[in-house]
Amino acid sequence: MDIKWNFDRKSTADDVVDGRDLGDKIALVTGANSGMGFETARALASAGARVILACRNEITGRESVAQILRCAPEAKIELVKLDLGSLPSVALLCEALLQQDDIPRIDILICNAGSMSSRYMETEQGFELTVGVCHTGHFLLTKLLMPKLLASGAPRIVMLSSDSHKFPQKLDFGNLINPVKKNMLSALKAYSQAKLCNVLTAFEFQRRYGHLGLTACAVHPGNMVTTALARESLFGRIMFKIFSPLTKSPNQGAATAVMCAIHENSSDIASGYFSDCRPGISSSETRNSAVANRLWELSEHLIKPYNGKIEAM
């Protein structure tokens, strides 16, 4: 039977949550201090969810909290510091959250934060920055929060990807974490590689944890969504300016992730790739189990020093 999808590319996150009561949900959104991340957090909070805004910049994070509270004084929101470019920062946050008795579970994890640069940059651990933030940081975050996620009984993981994941026909492991040539071209290529990692990882989380009730998917928020993603990239700022008539607003860009987070039938979402609030088609590489397993093993190796006392799952 065909599934009726009620939203499309023009829908906003507010449209998706309209009439929904999420008062029994606890959500964590990364990169929630601006753009799509902010709109995602705001929409979920407006529907009653308790939302944890995980932000690198505490100043803009506090401003986002204040802005949400001005619009919805009863919103249940809180700010935590998260720098996905620093694996110790990720581990420290996860350890704190796991010890918080007033957070018995996490029902929704939206891995929204991203990075894009027109010059080569590295994370604190020496990984290429875009892949390090978009993939490695989120991988560690999700793995360490797995006990809280599974405590939900039916958790959702939504990985923000992009149709850019289709540009590399194959994942280039040799130029993924530490590119041979550290230049502008490798920095630009890193974005599509990172987005491919996001889809592969979402599908692999589904495969490994789906039998425990977890639902994971990846989304493409829309073409050239107006966002702060390119704050480190002159190229990105120029492209957003040129194509601005064709862009979505951050509220529209957040709609697909919010829809996947709260869609009632989890089986419609599991191992799916979504675009414009509808099922999309991911590249053939995202369905390559050998590539997914190799990426998983590499990621496990990279995060191993930062697991701390938390048992790896």
Side-chain angles (χ1 to χ4, degrees), residues 177-202:
I177 303 300
N178 299 111
V180 175
K181 294 183 178 180
K182 297 174 171 54
N183 55 25
M184 181 184 72
L185 292 178
S186 66
L188 294 176
K189 178 183 177 181
Y191 183 74
S192 57
Q193 290 248 97
K195 297 294 102 178
L196 177 54
C197 287
N198 289 148
V199 184
L200 283 162
T201 301

Side-chain angles (χ1 to χ4, degrees), residues 225-237:
V225 173
T226 306
T227 177
L229 177 64
R231 56 186 173 270
E232 297 138 349
S233 169
L234 175 61
F235 173 78
R237 292 195 294 272

Side-chain angles (χ1 to χ4, degrees), residues 19 31 56 59 65 70 78 85 101 143 152 196 214 227-228 250 256-258 281 283 288 303 308 310:
R56 181 183 64 170
I59 295 176
V65 168
R70 282 195 296 270
E78 55 199 275
D101 294 334
K143 285 297 298 295
S152 166
L196 177 54
L214 182 145
T227 177
T256 304
V258 173
I281 300 175
S283 70
N288 188 322
I303 70 169
I310 303 170

Side-chain angles (χ1 to χ4, degrees), residues 141-176:
L141 178 75
T142 307
K143 285 297 298 295
L144 293 185
L145 289 181
M146 194 58 69
K148 290 284 189 183
L149 286 163
L150 295 181
S152 166
R156 296 279 177 94
I157 297 174
V158 181
M159 289 278 181
L160 268 289
S161 181
S162 164
D163 271 355
S164 298
H165 85 270
K166 300 176 181 179
F167 295 150
Q169 292 186 344
K170 303 292 181 182
L171 190 60
D172 185 359
F173 283 95
N175 288 287
L176 185 62

Side-chain angles (χ1 to χ4, degrees), residues 30-313:
T30 68
N33 56 310
S34 64
M36 291 183 296
F38 170 78
E39 293 295 340
T40 298
R42 184 193 56 77
L44 292 173
S46 72
R50 177 181 177 184
V51 184
I52 303 167
L53 285 69
C55 307
R56 181 183 64 170
N57 189 319
E58 292 183 282
I59 295 176
T60 57
R62 286 193 291 270
E63 292 171 352
S64 297
V65 168
Q67 186 175 345
I68 293 173
L69 289 174
R70 282 195 296 270
C71 298
E74 302 302 318
K76 298 174 289 186
I77 54 176
E78 55 199 275
L79 175 68
V80 296
K81 181 174 175 57
L82 172 67
D83 182 357
L84 289 162
S86 167
L87 296 186
S89 169
V90 177
L92 187 64
L93 170 62
C94 291
E95 186 172 5
L97 290 175
L98 290 174
Q99 293 176 356
Q100 275 191 243
D101 294 334
D102 67 328
I103 303 178
R105 66 190 184 282
I106 295 176
D107 303 293
I108 299 168
L109 173 60
I110 299 183
C111 298
N112 163 85
S115 176
M116 180 173 70
S117 178
S118 58
R119 61 189 178 91
Y120 182 82
M121 299 174 69
E122 293 183 348
T123 68
E124 185 179 288
Q125 281 67 53
F127 307 150
E128 190 286 320
L129 181 66
T130 301
V131 175
V133 168
C134 295
H135 169 64
T136 313
H138 276 132
F139 183 79
L140 177 61
L141 178 75
T142 307
K143 285 297 298 295
L144 293 185
L145 289 181
M146 194 58 69
K148 290 284 189 183
L149 286 163
L150 295 181
S152 166
R156 296 279 177 94
I157 297 174
V158 181
M159 289 278 181
L160 268 289
S161 181
S162 164
D163 271 355
S164 298
H165 85 270
K166 300 176 181 179
F167 295 150
Q169 292 186 344
K170 303 292 181 182
L171 190 60
D172 185 359
F173 283 95
N175 288 287
L176 185 62
I177 303 300
N178 299 111
V180 175
K181 294 183 178 180
K182 297 174 171 54
N183 55 25
M184 181 184 72
L185 292 178
S186 66
L188 294 176
K189 178 183 177 181
Y191 183 74
S192 57
Q193 290 248 97
K195 297 294 102 178
L196 177 54
C197 287
N198 289 148
V199 184
L200 283 162
T201 301
F203 293 171
E204 192 65 6
F205 270 117
Q206 179 67 53
R207 189 183 73 81
R208 291 174 183 255
Y209 296 98
H211 68 287
L212 297 175
L214 182 145
T215 299
C217 68
V219 304
H220 167 53
N223 292 321
M224 301 297 292
V225 173
T226 306
T227 177
L229 177 64
R231 56 186 173 270
E232 297 138 349
S233 169
L234 175 61
F235 173 78
R237 292 195 294 272
I238 292 173
M239 292 300 288
F240 285 145
K241 183 67 174 179
I242 292 173
F243 289 99
S244 59
L246 305 176
T247 63
K248 288 184 177 184
S249 69
N251 198 352
Q252 290 173 317
T256 304
V258 173
M259 184 208 72
C260 288
I262 68 173
H263 183 76
E264 292 183 354
N265 191 346
S266 62
S267 63
D268 297 341
I269 302 297
S271 287
Y273 178 75
F274 293 84
S275 175
D276 294 334
C277 295
R278 305 289 175 92
I281 300 175
S282 61
S283 70
S284 59
E285 183 78 340
T286 66
R287 304 292 177 178
N288 188 322
S289 59
V291 172
N293 190 62
R294 182 180 175 187
L295 176 62
W296 187 277
E297 291 180 350
L298 171 62
S299 303
E300 289 272 24
H301 172 73
L302 294 173
I303 70 169
K304 187 175 181 179
Y306 309 98
N307 278 338
K309 297 180 181 179
I310 303 170
E311 182 180 358
M313 298 187 63

